[in-house]
Amino acid sequence: MFGAISPTEEIGLILVPLMNSVLNLLAGFLIPASAIPGYYIWIYWINPNAYYLSGVLKAVLTGLQFVCTEDELAAFPYPGNTDDTYEFPDCESIPPENEYSTLVVNSTFTACQFCPVTSGDQVLEQFGVPGYDQWVSVGALVGFTFFSWTVGYLGFRYLRYLSR
């Protein structure tokens, strides 16, 4: 679409990668939608890459469960002490930060270990993927496709930059 409305091939070859870079940057993956400044958020909502990304992430990650291996466990220092002044005497008695934390006690470490990511829904929440159905993403992509074809056709048909 951007190449079709460019005055020359050279400008089109410069403009298309530049616009794709901006759209990829503001698609909600590199910069989550919640962190995009308010004056740029409109680019996120008209961005076909954002709808593609949210649709794929929802299709792949919804309901998916992860199991951490020993190497993937995160650890924090053991909170217990001997004089019982601490509120939690062992790792099992610590309430989890959220519903996704699972504490694992390993006897060879003096730390409490937990699996930081246990479900695909947690990843969707972390990236701020919108709550709409993945079919909304499909519909938006079909709409963007027809819009781009229309703008490209009209650009080729009616824009004339060369004068004879």
Side-chain angles (χ1 to χ4, degrees):
M1 176 175 81
F2 297 113
I5 60 175
S6 300
T8 64
E9 284 182 41
E10 292 81 14
I11 293 176
L13 289 173
I14 294 169
L15 186 63
V16 170
L18 177 67
M19 294 307 296
N20 280 336
S21 296
V22 170
L23 292 177
N24 284 332
L25 182 65
L26 297 174
F29 183 72
L30 296 174
I31 303 173
S34 60
I36 296 174
Y39 47 89
Y40 285 132
I41 197 69
W42 63 272
I43 297 174
Y44 172 78
W45 290 110
I46 66 165
N47 188 349
N49 297 350
Y51 289 96
Y52 167 77
L53 183 65
S54 67
V56 169
L57 287 176
K58 284 186 99 51
V60 172
L61 294 177
T62 300
L64 190 64
Q65 296 297 315
F66 302 124
V67 177
C68 292
T69 64
E70 292 256 347
D71 297 336
E72 297 168 337
L73 294 174
F76 59 91
Y78 182 70
N81 57 14
T82 56
D83 60 359
D84 290 333
T85 59
Y86 193 72
E87 184 178 356
F88 306 111
D90 57 11
C91 292
E92 286 89 4
S93 63
I94 299 173
E97 278 281 322
N98 55 38
E99 61 184 298
Y100 305 113
S101 298
T102 305
L103 290 173
V104 177
V105 181
N106 190 334
S107 60
T108 60
F109 296 105
T110 57
C112 297
Q113 296 177 319
F114 67 99
C115 186
V117 179
T118 59
S119 72
D121 295 325
Q122 182 183 6
V123 176
L124 294 174
E125 181 181 318
Q126 178 182 356
F127 280 106
V129 175
Y132 51 74
D133 190 48
Q134 63 199 21
W135 292 107
V136 172
S137 296
V138 171
L141 288 174
V142 169
F144 281 122
T145 300
F146 285 118
F147 176 75
S148 295
W149 285 348
T150 303
V151 170
Y153 172 76
L154 294 174
F156 281 134
R157 180 77 173 110
Y158 295 110
L159 291 179
R160 303 283 184 223
Y161 292 104
L162 299 176
S163 60
R164 296 182 196 222

